[in-house]
Amino acid sequence: MTKRATFTTKLGVIAATAGSSVGLGNIWRFPYETGQNGGAAFLLLYFICVLVLGLPVMVAEFTIGRSARANASRAFLKLTPKTHWYVVGVLGIFAAVFIMGFYSVIAGWTLDYVYQSLTFGLADKSPEQFQTAFTQFTADAVRPIFWTFLFLSINYVILVKGVQNGIEKASNILMPVLFILLVIFGVRSLFMPGAAEGLSFMFKPDFSKVDSGIILKAMGQAFFSLSLGMGTLITYASYFSDRTSLVKTAGTVATLDTLVAIMAGIVIFPAVFSFGISPSQGPQLIFITLPNVFQQMPGAYFWSLLFFVLVSVAALTSTISLCEVAISYLHEEFGMSRRRATLILVLVCFFMSTLCSLSFGPLRQVTIGSLTIFDFCDFLSSNILLPLGGLLIAIYVGWVLDKKFVRNQISDGGRINVWYFDLLMISLRFIAPVAISLIFLSGLGLF
Ligand code: TRP
């Protein structure tokens, strides 16, 4: 068997896991999903999904990962030999590739914005000019793909070396800096002329907007943002020490993740209204609003550069975790060297990303069920594969694993008082499976 490393400190566990969760999902996807789906009502549904579905599924993934200490597919085989549950892990690998496909494109855009910040490309423009420049950039057949390639190459370099030392240590420092920056930008944004309108869009719910499609999206966003449903957290939990409290870790990570998303919203929505930009822009939202905000601040050059560097880093700590799922699988199951596994995976991701990137330009007309390739990858992974994975994981820990075994894992062999255990089991056995199935079927229009 391969020797498996463990994270050594509590901070290491939190930093790595939060590093996986906090990423473009919070800063890029959350604001635009909220913007497209009616604002505050979406936010509220999102909170409920995190609390009622996300947290229990996260604890379930931790339980599987730490007790089995293996890659996301092997873990199921170890805990329940001679069953087909390992397929959940294999499904996760497909999800990883689809997510990487569109995620790396956005990460590439952030790198381009780093470059533009450096070379004064983001200075002295009107909101319309930012919009036009952005549309031209993303429709280009070469420039965004170049940045995506660069981003994937950085992933390769780090992943080949192994994750723990570089990325984990870097996240310990960079994540808090990102947090502080968001606070600074948030305060600046709150003093802009349209701030009140932006805040009421974000915090005053209009329930007439709620339908099953929106609930499906809120759930998809919760799974996506918390990195659930595809084995990322199973893989990371296989590196937890025996003394890590699974529930406390899940609580901390979910809280941090939600805080970062809310702060991103507070930065973006006041600015959106103040510059007369439509909140329902979709994926381009932050790339058009934020340069406008920075422009209004003394030291714009510095802030904008720092911000896009940190967003790129946040993206990187997430993609590393996405890739790690597939790499540990290829490496351990097919006896490939880590280098070869990483190379193959990164090349596959690059192929997917190229298609996703071109779907903003030359391949705009190519659609799958009315979605562009980019939107299709996003929809398929976030709204189908992740909830499906989450559903199966909840059923697995709730019904298939022995209840005493689960209790023993979560209570750390009886050391931790787990007064919430029954609540957790009720969620995993009943609430999560029923809610996910219903939301899922009705969101797809099948119910
Ligand atoms: N959660 C990350 C983000 O918000 C993205 C991510 C990393 C992810 N690993 C994942 C999403 C696993 C779904 C599943 O940016």
Side-chain angles (χ1 to χ4, degrees):
M1 239 359 251
T2 17
K3 265 188 267 144
R4 295 194 75 83
T6 52
F7 295 132
T8 41
T9 63
K10 265 190 196 157
L11 185 68
V13 167
I14 302 284
T17 316
S20 164
S21 297
V22 174
L24 296 176
N26 309 63
I27 301 164
W28 159 76
R29 198 173 188 279
F30 171 80
Y32 95 70
E33 285 283 345
T34 308
Q36 281 187 325
N37 295 299
F42 179 86
L43 182 68
L44 195 68
L45 291 170
Y46 173 74
F47 283 156
I48 297 174
C49 288
V50 167
L51 204 67
V52 179
L53 308 174
L55 260 181
V57 173
M58 190 183 280
V59 174
E61 287 205 30
F62 284 173
T63 306
I64 299 171
R66 195 187 53 182
S67 59
R69 297 210 181 283
N71 68 68
S73 174
R74 170 73 41 187
F76 288 93
L77 273 179
K78 268 182 135 178
L79 296 179
T80 45
K82 302 202 187 77
T83 64
H84 292 289
W85 283 96
Y86 68 92
V87 175
V88 178
V90 178
L91 215 68
I93 294 169
F94 283 97
V97 171
F98 282 111
I99 295 175
M100 283 299 289
F102 72 88
Y103 204 94
S104 314
V105 173
I106 309 296
W109 293 355
T110 59
L111 286 184
D112 184 87
Y113 270 57
V114 169
Y115 174 76
Q116 287 199 54
S117 304
L118 269 174
T119 53
F120 298 95
L122 296 178
D124 298 327
K125 285 200 177 102
S126 67
E128 294 75 36
Q129 283 170 323
F130 276 124
Q131 173 105 38
T132 321
F134 177 81
T135 314
Q136 271 170 5
F137 160 58
T138 52
D140 196 278
V142 181
R143 200 169 116 203
I145 295 177
F146 164 76
W147 290 111
T148 302
F149 180 76
L150 188 70
F151 179 75
L152 284 169
S153 310
I154 301 173
N155 276 271
Y156 175 81
V157 170
I158 293 168
L159 280 162
V160 158
K161 288 199 180 130
V163 186
Q164 267 100 15
N165 272 325
I167 272 294
E168 187 191 326
K169 285 198 181 129
S171 347
N172 281 349
I173 304 166
L174 294 169
M175 286 297 160
V177 178
L178 178 69
F179 204 80
I180 294 166
L181 271 190
L182 281 172
V183 174
I184 297 175
F185 296 140
V187 171
R188 179 66 194 95
S189 201
L190 287 178
F191 285 101
M192 288 186 170
E197 215 183 326
L199 289 181
S200 91
F201 176 77
M202 195 170 152
F203 293 113
K204 255 204 203 143
D206 171 4
F207 290 106
S208 64
K209 300 245 171 66
V210 176
D211 61 24
S212 57
I214 289 195
I215 306 180
L216 176 70
K217 289 199 173 143
M219 178 170 75
Q221 174 61 22
F223 278 92
F224 186 87
S225 191
L226 296 173
S227 304
L228 293 178
M230 50 146 287
T232 299
L233 297 186
I234 296 179
T235 309
Y236 269 30
S238 74
Y239 307 130
F240 286 5
S241 88
D242 289 328
R243 311 214 57 150
T244 307
S245 160
L246 301 182
V247 173
K248 248 196 214 155
T249 307
T252 311
V253 170
T255 308
L256 286 175
D257 188 69
T258 307
L259 270 179
V260 173
I262 294 176
M263 295 202 319
I266 293 179
V267 175
I268 285 153
F269 288 112
V272 163
F273 285 91
S274 143
F275 296 112
I277 295 166
S278 152
S280 60
Q281 300 255 334
Q284 51 175 326
L285 186 64
I286 68 163
F287 294 96
I288 294 170
T289 44
L290 289 181
N292 280 303
V293 179
F294 297 141
Q295 220 173 220
Q296 307 280 317
M297 298 171 65
Y301 180 88
F302 170 74
W303 295 119
S304 145
L305 181 63
L306 196 57
F307 182 79
F308 285 109
V309 167
L310 286 168
V311 175
S312 310
V313 172
L316 189 64
T317 54
S318 297
T319 50
I320 295 282
S321 77
L322 279 160
C323 293
E324 183 63 18
V325 177
I327 292 170
S328 64
Y329 176 75
L330 292 176
H331 176 56
E332 291 174 7
E333 301 302 310
F334 294 94
M336 273 182 207
S337 68
R338 199 176 161 89
R339 177 174 295 274
R340 164 170 286 194
T342 310
L343 184 67
I344 292 180
L345 182 79
V346 167
L347 286 177
V348 172
C349 293
F350 181 59
F351 174 73
M352 290 296 292
S353 300
T354 304
L355 291 178
C356 287
S357 182
L358 291 175
S359 80
F360 286 92
L363 298 184
R364 194 181 293 124
Q365 310 298 341
V366 180
T367 55
I368 307 162
S370 87
L371 298 172
T372 63
I373 302 174
F374 180 97
D375 291 335
F376 175 77
C377 282
D378 185 0
F379 183 83
L380 177 69
S381 49
S382 317
N383 294 344
I384 297 186
L385 295 176
L386 299 183
L388 189 65
L391 171 70
L392 293 172
I393 287 165
I395 295 176
Y396 183 75
V397 174
W399 294 100
V400 178
L401 288 185
D402 178 44
K403 198 170 168 179
K404 278 207 197 92
F405 174 82
V406 176
R407 189 185 184 105
N408 198 37
Q409 280 299 318
I410 291 174
S411 67
D412 195 4
R415 257 193 292 268
I416 302 169
N417 173 7
V418 283
W419 53 271
Y420 40 72
F421 185 72
D422 288 328
L423 229 73
L424 180 77
M425 285 313 267
I426 292 174
S427 173
L428 290 177
R429 289 190 157 187
F430 305 103
I431 305 178
V434 172
I436 298 175
S437 311
L438 285 181
I439 299 172
F440 195 53
L441 294 178
S442 69
L444 293 177
L446 301 173
F447 172 74

